[in-house]
Amino acid sequence: MTSPASPQVDGLDAFRQDQTYLGADHRRNERRTWAVTAICAVTLVGLVAGGLAFGSMALLANGLHMAAHVAALLVSAGAYALARRHATDPRFAFGTGKLGYLAGFANAVVLAVTAVLIATESLKRLLDPLAVDYHGALPLAAAGLALNLVCVWLLRPTRLHAERNDRDGDLNLSSAYLHLVADAGVSVVALTAMALGQALGWSFLDPAAGLVGAALVAHFSIRLLRRAGAALLDINPSAELTAEVRERLEAGGEAVVDLHLWRLGPGHHAVIAVVAGAGEAQAYRARLAGLPGLSHVTIEVRPAGCGHDHHHGHSH
């Protein structure tokens, strides 16, 4: 039995594990992100030039949103490159897997700012309408949507990625994908508004479409902020996985008096547990073998009854 003064900890074994914690498709996702960035940059130039030439706020709104995409995609691609380059840098205590979450949070902020800019300009156009050259704007908007759909297809989640829940997915890729999906939605709204405006002569539909697009972008921004923020603040990613870890560690009648579970990167999680029981820490680690996503496990064993009341119930 382990003495109270020197609890058994398997930290040395834990630190021998692979600490890169990058997603399984890291390199593939990086290449896809760079390719989509180039396509979006070309589309951006066309949309903004067309919006200015034809006086279409819906087209300009789509262009502003595309500009946000280019910035966001550059952040995402850069995060992939930095995470890969510094994957074995000892300065990162738990690897560089969280760089993607940081990029996702930054992209969510960019989306929020874009929504505000689109809404502000759309309100100005509602109060002071400008003539729209529908004949020139409509084909350009349709071309922009087509290119956007190509980008959405290129960044589509793989089947394996789609089957994972949020705790295991590559949030960096998801943030780039959400940007493009939001832009596709804005493009559809813009096209519909311009088509109706041309047919009915209702010029207010064009800036109104900009407001709808702003609301759509804001929705995606809030969704992404919540997911990225949860990962960066080490909020427990899965109550189910936590319960499974506790159940396995207590399978012999022991008690888990402290338990912490958090994300390290796409598909990687760390767990630190304090078990009131007997035996070697390695034996308790063996009980967790086979649990998907557990990449860094540290177990401390204390004699049953030692500090049990003080620690019981603390799991994160």
Side-chain angles (χ1 to χ4, degrees):
M1 178 176 289
T2 312
S3 65
S6 56
Q8 187 107 83
V9 183
D10 69 335
L12 179 60
D13 184 59
F15 279 110
R16 286 172 178 162
Q17 300 177 73
D18 177 16
Q19 295 185 46
T20 58
Y21 308 130
L22 301 182
D25 298 322
H26 187 92
R27 287 184 176 275
R28 177 173 179 267
N29 291 342
E30 181 181 350
R31 290 193 298 269
R32 293 160 71 192
T33 304
W34 281 118
V36 169
T37 301
I39 295 174
C40 286
V42 173
T43 306
L44 161 65
V45 174
L47 288 173
V48 172
L52 292 173
F54 304 127
S56 169
M57 184 55 226
L59 208 55
L60 273 176
N62 204 0
L64 283 173
H65 193 200
M66 185 61 74
H69 291 332
V70 173
L73 288 165
L74 284 172
V75 170
S76 293
Y80 278 124
L82 285 173
R84 174 174 46 80
R85 185 175 304 170
H86 298 285
T88 58
D89 191 329
R91 293 177 299 173
F92 295 90
F94 286 100
T96 55
K98 276 194 173 182
L99 276 174
Y101 300 125
L102 186 60
F105 189 87
N107 286 341
V109 174
V110 172
L111 273 177
V113 172
T114 304
V116 172
L117 291 175
I118 293 175
T120 301
E121 188 62 28
S122 297
L123 285 172
K124 289 181 181 178
R125 292 293 182 94
L126 274 175
L127 297 175
D128 185 18
L130 295 177
V132 179
D133 183 352
Y134 294 110
H135 292 288
L138 275 168
L140 193 57
L145 175 59
L147 285 173
N148 185 265
L149 291 176
V150 170
C151 293
V152 169
W153 181 80
L154 286 173
L155 284 187
R156 71 195 186 284
T158 61
R159 177 173 297 182
L160 177 61
H161 182 84
E163 288 174 353
R164 295 168 176 166
N165 55 32
D166 286 350
R167 78 167 191 267
D168 293 325
D170 186 341
L171 188 60
N172 195 20
L173 183 71
S174 295
S175 68
Y177 182 74
L178 282 177
H179 267 270
L180 296 171
V181 169
D183 190 64
V186 172
S187 296
V188 170
V189 171
L191 273 169
T192 302
M194 285 190 289
L196 289 175
Q198 182 182 38
L200 303 175
W202 293 351
S203 59
F204 69 88
L205 286 178
D206 186 73
L211 288 175
V212 174
L216 183 63
V217 174
H219 167 74
F220 281 107
S221 172
I222 293 171
R223 176 180 171 184
L224 191 54
L225 279 170
R226 287 176 175 172
R227 292 178 59 195
L232 292 173
L233 293 174
D234 291 330
I235 292 178
N236 190 317
S238 171
E240 293 79 9
L241 182 57
T242 302
E244 178 67 19
V245 169
R246 181 182 293 276
E247 181 180 347
R248 291 194 181 198
L249 292 177
E250 295 180 341
E254 302 87 350
V256 173
V257 298
D258 202 14
L259 178 60
H260 304 265
L261 179 75
W262 71 96
R263 307 177 207 231
L264 297 174
H268 297 283
H269 301 83
V271 63
I272 294 178
V274 179
V275 181
E280 300 291 328
Q282 185 61 31
Y284 291 98
R285 279 176 50 80
R287 296 184 185 182
L288 302 181
L291 273 182
L294 283 188
S295 302
H296 191 107
V297 178
T298 302
I299 305 293
E300 177 182 337
V301 182
R302 296 179 181 177
C306 177
H308 181 277
D309 293 336
H310 175 72
H311 292 283
H312 183 69
H314 293 274
S315 65
H316 303 276

